[in-house]
Amino acid sequence: MTSTKLTIAMPKGRIFEEAVQMLREADYALPPEFEDSRKLIIDIEEEDLRFILAKPMDVPTYVEHGVADVGIAGKDVMLEEKRNVYEVLDLGISRCHLAVAGLPGTELDSVAPKIASKYPNVASSYFRSQGRQVEIIKLNGSIELAPMIGLADRIVDIVSTGRTLKENGLVETEKIMEITSRFIVNPVSYRVKANRIDEMVNRLEKVIEGKEVVR
Amino acid sequence: MSKPLVFEKPLGMRDTLPHLYEIKSISRTAMETIVRQWGYRFMQTPTVEYYDTVGEASATLDQQLFKLLDQEGKTLVLRPDMTAPIARVAASSLKDEPLPMRIAYAAHVFRAQEQEGGRPAEFEQFGVELIGDGTTSADAEVIALMIETLKAVGLNNFQVAVGHLGYVDALFKEILGTDQRTETLKRFLYEKNYVGYRQHVKELPLSSIDQKRLLDFLQLRGGTAGLEQAEELITSTRAYEALEELQTLRDGLAAYGVSDLVSLDLTLVSHMTYYTGVVFEGYAPELGSPISNGGRYDTLLSKFDMDTKATGFGIHLDHLIEAVHPREEKTFTHCIVYSEKQRKDAIAFCQKLRGQGETAVLQDIKGIENLDGFTEKFSNVTYYLGKEEGVSK
């Protein structure tokens, strides 16, 4: 018989605590020490769940290859990675937005506008949709540095409070889109483990609806 | 870019080592036997086809095609699937054959990896095409045959999801009115973006009843989904026709005795335009991608100037083997090691063994550096050395 254990790929870092909180609200009994563990794989036998802790950008990869049945990933990551997975629920957590930012009072270079980003695909398709051709420089972090020291004219990054931009003297010039975390599912698991996944989706949906009423 | 090193292969290209080759060969033979018993005839087509014909007609995304140029500058493709080439043959060389036509294939197909490794870019596909039969009985035959073929390799724990694109198109069209709006909404399904689908539906200027119909549609999958729920959402004749087909298909599959493996899934949209009616996918629980898929493609043949309907399935042989882990049957191999003086006797003995149907390796002792290492892997070793008669180990 098929094992019913569900493997969930969780993003480490910023989204993690909110995601854990949400699962608890959906009545999944996760132990109190869950957040403090440094383990990469955590089995919760009582719930028949296995959690794997991954870099946020890698969550859709684990789910696409089927080593995780479901996962929690930001829409920013979904847009960047374009993985073959089901995007089933908008969890409404880790709200932020994707934006273009730069030094105040500066224009894009007219010959070869340069954009630095952790999201080269998102940045490229955004500027294309605006009818502008730009050159993308891929960076892995501290993107704000790029315009400050003359590596790029603009950056494309996620903005939550805007504090990092402000402290580094940058301003948002264009808003690309709102970002929230999504519940994603492997296409085979979505059918083979339909019962367990549907149950999780229903329980999470109730939590989301509850939050929307409050807001 | 650095020059490739001698051991490197292009991205996604893999070797089939003897052990795996053997397993594949056994599995393929088992599948061929079944498919032949059902009256399908095997054929081959070229590896390279024209981009403008087969490349264009295939269900594979353009960026996944391997393209090359011939001497005249025409664009060629490495075949990305077998359905389009078989459609080409059916509409040309085989066009005078009586219909329905039952064709089978076992062939390598090529799909370039867009970003990274982890999946093969060349893989073996095993499948059938049933051309010239538009009945639901043909759909049932193809699904039942796929199930029997998978079982023949030893796969027992799997599921088949069956959908119907005629239903999806008709439901969307009756609510949304235009083809363009239908396509926009269908694209969300194809891209598996249910969040976007729901948002889009909520933004459409529709009555709350129609919105609910479109949202409820997403529930028509999984173990509990039935034709009854599907019927509640529709009013148009086209949609009812699609459901009637699914009903007939269900009866057909029950008659084949395979109903327990099949579940209804109307959200299954495996391609935007290629499939026209019943579609299906096969899943093994431990595998992240489908092991097989197929469906009705009634417009493909017309691209090759033949106006007829068709359906078929394709099995991803590597995925199948990964799901089954078939064991290589240990073949009994006899080794005969000889020295020059006894060559004649050794060869005679060896020929006798092979004549009896045994597998026998003949090896001159001078060609061996490490005798123990070499003979280790054989089930039996006979020596024809010196002046004496052969002695078995």
Side-chain angles (χ1 to χ4, degrees):
Chain A
M1 196 49 217
T2 320
S3 88
T4 53
K5 179 170 253 174
L6 213 56
T7 303
I8 308 180
M10 298 284 279
K12 287 198 284 193
R14 197 172 56 92
I15 318 175
F16 184 73
E17 279 176 30
E18 279 186 83
V20 170
Q21 171 70 18
M22 189 151 204
L23 286 166
R24 286 210 177 104
E25 283 169 35
D27 279 332
Y28 285 97
L30 308 181
E33 68 277 13
F34 192 71
E35 288 97 324
D36 308 326
S37 174
R38 289 189 164 236
K39 281 189 183 163
L40 296 176
I41 299 177
I42 305 173
D43 286 307
I44 308 288
E45 300 299 341
E46 309 82 65
E47 296 282 3
D48 205 11
L49 292 176
R50 162 172 282 189
F51 288 86
I52 62 169
L53 273 55
K55 275 272 213 189
M57 203 63 117
D58 296 335
V59 166
T61 312
Y62 288 101
V63 176
E64 182 184 54
H65 284 267
V67 288
D69 298 303
V70 302
I72 292 174
K75 182 66 183 172
D76 51 334
V77 176
M78 296 297 291
L79 289 169
E80 179 62 26
E81 291 281 308
K82 292 210 176 303
R83 295 283 171 173
N84 183 24
V85 296
Y86 279 97
E87 190 181 319
V88 177
L89 275 182
D90 182 349
L91 297 174
I93 53 172
S94 306
R95 261 173 212 283
C96 56
H97 64 274
L98 269 168
V100 184
L103 287 170
T106 56
E107 295 280 313
L108 282 179
D109 187 288
S110 55
V111 180
K114 285 183 286 186
I115 313 293
S117 184
K118 207 160 57 171
Y119 304 96
N121 296 328
V122 172
S124 160
S125 66
Y126 172 71
F127 283 101
R128 280 183 77 192
S129 74
Q130 303 287 309
R132 287 183 285 176
Q133 187 171 9
V134 297
E135 293 180 8
I136 310 284
I137 299 167
K138 156 102 189 194
L139 293 178
N140 290 301
S142 305
I143 317 293
E144 294 79 9
L145 261 178
M148 293 164 68
I149 58 168
L151 176 63
D153 306 317
R154 293 281 185 273
I155 61 169
V156 166
D157 206 2
I158 47 168
V159 180
S160 40
T161 58
R163 218 181 108 195
T164 319
L165 287 182
K166 209 170 166 191
E167 284 185 1
N168 290 291
L170 300 182
V171 289
E172 193 177 313
T173 54
E174 291 157 68
K175 184 172 174 174
I176 300 178
M177 68 180 298
E178 291 285 342
I179 300 293
T180 47
S181 294
R182 309 295 160 100
F183 183 73
I184 61 172
V185 182
N186 172 274
V188 174
S189 304
Y190 198 41
R191 294 180 167 105
V192 175
K193 297 186 179 172
N195 292 345
R196 284 219 66 189
I197 289 171
D198 286 350
E199 195 214 328
M200 186 173 271
V201 167
N202 288 338
R203 281 160 74 170
L204 287 169
E205 252 176 346
K206 286 214 178 75
V207 177
I208 298 166
E209 278 164 22
K211 289 197 171 162
E212 269 167 10
V213 173
V214 174
R215 195 182 301 127
Chain B
M1 289 289 142
S2 57
K3 236 176 115 177
L5 302 175
V6 285
F7 58 85
E8 289 180 313
K9 308 176 289 295
L11 183 66
M13 294 297 167
R14 293 176 187 177
D15 300 313
T16 305
L17 300 180
H19 170 72
L20 181 60
Y21 184 92
E22 214 37 55
I23 287 172
K24 273 190 177 181
S25 158
I26 292 163
S27 307
R28 193 188 306 115
T29 310
M31 300 201 296
E32 273 176 13
T33 308
I34 301 290
V35 163
R36 281 215 176 87
Q37 283 174 346
W38 286 52
Y40 287 75
R41 291 186 302 154
F42 279 84
M43 64 171 284
Q44 286 183 327
T45 66
T47 309
V48 178
E49 297 264 3
Y50 282 122
Y51 170 76
D52 288 317
T53 59
V54 168
E56 189 81 358
S58 91
T60 307
L61 297 175
D62 198 70
Q63 63 263 33
Q64 286 192 300
L65 295 175
F66 277 100
K67 299 183 192 103
L68 43 151
L69 295 177
D70 71 3
Q71 278 94 331
E72 292 166 11
K74 285 200 187 101
T75 310
L76 311 174
V77 292
L78 297 185
R79 59 169 179 236
D81 63 44
M82 281 301 286
T83 307
I86 286 174
R88 173 182 59 70
V89 178
S92 52
S93 316
L94 296 178
K95 71 174 187 302
D96 297 326
E97 291 268 312
L99 294 176
M101 210 185 314
R102 287 172 167 80
I103 302 288
Y105 60 87
H108 285 230
V109 297
F110 302 83
R111 291 176 201 168
Q113 297 306 297
E114 288 169 59
Q115 312 169 343
E116 56 176 17
R119 293 176 193 283
E122 175 184 8
F123 55 89
E124 185 170 344
Q125 221 181 29
F126 182 100
V128 309
E129 312 294 349
L130 176 42
I131 297 162
D133 189 341
T135 66
T136 310
S137 304
D139 293 304
E141 171 173 329
V142 163
I143 294 173
L145 176 54
M146 181 179 86
I147 289 172
E148 194 169 325
T149 310
L150 291 171
K151 281 182 174 168
V153 185
L155 188 71
N156 291 311
N157 188 9
F158 65 101
Q159 290 178 21
V160 179
V162 177
H164 197 303
L165 288 174
Y167 176 87
V168 181
D169 285 333
L171 172 70
F172 287 7
K173 188 79 184 286
E174 66 174 80
I175 294 175
L176 301 169
T178 67
D179 285 338
Q180 202 200 337
R181 284 163 140 204
T182 299
E183 202 194 302
T184 311
L185 191 59
K186 198 168 144 193
R187 186 159 288 281
F188 284 108
L189 285 186
Y190 170 64
E191 289 175 350
K192 304 188 169 70
N193 182 356
Y194 287 8
V195 173
Y197 177 96
R198 285 198 212 94
Q199 253 161 19
H200 183 75
V201 167
K202 282 174 191 156
E203 284 162 11
L204 284 169
L206 296 172
S207 70
S208 57
I209 297 170
D210 283 347
Q211 286 196 350
K212 188 165 183 311
R213 283 160 78 196
L214 289 175
L215 295 178
D216 285 350
F217 167 75
L218 291 183
Q219 306 299 326
L220 297 178
R221 58 164 267 282
T224 52
L227 293 172
E228 301 72 30
Q229 286 117 297
E231 199 176 332
E232 284 167 18
L233 301 182
I234 52 165
T235 54
S236 68
T237 327
R238 268 184 65 208
Y240 277 113
E241 277 168 12
L243 276 192
E244 244 162 64
E245 276 185 37
L246 283 172
Q247 180 68 54
T248 320
L249 179 68
R250 189 154 74 172
D251 297 343
L253 293 171
Y256 279 108
V258 294
S259 302
D260 53 328
L261 293 169
V262 181
S263 61
L264 184 69
D265 191 331
L266 288 166
T267 63
L268 191 65
V269 174
S270 29
H271 193 272
M272 278 303 283
T273 53
Y274 191 78
Y275 293 110
T276 52
V278 170
V279 283
F280 50 89
E281 278 184 350
Y283 312 104
E286 304 305 326
L287 231 56
S289 331
I291 35 173
S292 63
N293 67 318
R296 179 159 286 286
Y297 52 95
D298 285 348
T299 50
L300 178 69
L301 270 301
S302 67
K303 290 186 179 163
F304 296 97
D305 296 331
M306 184 185 195
D307 187 23
T308 192
K309 300 175 168 187
T311 177
F313 72 74
I315 294 172
H316 198 305
L317 191 59
D318 301 276
H319 285 174
L320 176 58
I321 283 166
E322 213 181 307
V324 182
H325 308 294
R327 256 178 306 165
E328 184 185 2
E329 281 170 43
K330 269 265 171 273
T331 43
F332 187 88
T333 306
H334 201 123
C335 181
I336 298 140
V337 178
Y338 69 94
S339 61
E340 213 177 316
K341 284 206 169 133
Q342 293 211 30
R343 178 193 285 136
K344 208 174 153 198
D345 289 344
I347 291 178
F349 178 61
C350 185
Q351 280 170 339
K352 193 179 122 204
L353 289 177
R354 287 175 186 157
Q356 291 163 355
E358 272 193 55
T359 305
V361 166
L362 190 63
Q363 177 62 51
D364 186 336
I365 189 146
K366 277 190 193 151
I368 309 175
E369 252 176 49
N370 174 354
L371 185 64
D372 288 342
F374 179 76
T375 52
E376 198 176 48
K377 61 184 178 190
F378 296 101
S379 344
N380 198 358
V381 186
T382 305
Y383 295 95
Y384 279 82
L385 300 172
K387 285 177 182 168
E388 295 204 10
E389 183 66 14
V391 188
S392 265
K393 188 169 85 171

